[in-house]
Amino acid sequence: MKETTRIFRFAVIGTLNALITAATVGVLMGVFDVHYLASNIAAYILAQTHNFIWCKYWIFPTDKKSNTWRQVLLFLIAFGMAYLAQFLFIVVLVELLSCNEYLAQFLGLFVYGAVNFLMNKRITFC
């Protein structure tokens, strides 16, 4: 698969994940008055379930036999690294720079996406 195709697919699924994340955060924070950090955690758990399936079968497919449990473990590690990067990013934006919580959540998606793509491309699904 061409790298441009892979990046396009990642962007499509990333956009869907961003919508899932944003909608979940919006509902939890706006409707149920859940704290912004708890909303963020719940949103990422939901979006990552969606993300793994698409990554495995559409973005990073492979003809070679793969160990799904190994990929799940590596995917979770990649997720953890990407999530930690975005989590720290939003905390700095909100707590230290007094950024709007919604804007911080949105900007954090870009940090998360870059780290996630690189980790999954180079480690999880290689």
Side-chain angles (χ1 to χ4, degrees):
M1 173 185 317
K2 290 182 180 180
E3 194 63 15
T4 54
T5 301
R6 187 180 320 277
I7 291 170
F8 174 76
R9 288 179 177 190
F10 186 81
V12 168
I13 297 307
T15 300
L16 289 174
N17 285 339
L19 292 172
I20 290 168
T21 302
T24 304
V25 165
V27 168
L28 290 176
M29 286 174 57
V31 176
F32 296 106
D33 198 31
V34 175
H35 189 271
Y36 80 96
L37 293 177
S39 298
N40 182 271
I41 291 167
Y44 271 86
I45 289 170
L46 182 61
Q48 285 318 295
T49 302
H50 172 264
N51 193 22
F52 177 79
I53 295 165
W54 285 104
C55 280
K56 180 169 178 59
Y57 296 107
W58 194 54
I59 299 169
F60 302 107
T62 181
D63 291 332
K64 65 182 178 180
K65 184 176 174 158
S66 60
N67 181 331
T68 299
W69 288 112
R70 178 182 176 277
Q71 288 177 330
V72 167
L73 176 62
L74 292 173
F75 184 83
L76 291 173
I77 291 169
F79 165 73
M81 299 291 286
Y83 183 79
L84 180 61
Q86 75 79 34
F87 189 86
L88 293 173
F89 181 77
I90 67 169
V91 168
V92 167
L93 287 180
V94 172
E95 302 298 334
L96 297 180
L97 301 176
S98 300
C99 181
N100 176 277
E101 294 171 359
Y102 291 94
L103 178 59
Q105 298 275 9
F106 175 73
L107 295 174
L109 293 171
F110 294 97
V111 172
Y112 172 83
V115 174
N116 192 340
F117 180 84
L118 292 172
M119 296 281 296
N120 281 314
K121 178 182 177 200
R122 295 193 175 144
I123 297 170
T124 307
F125 299 105
C126 62

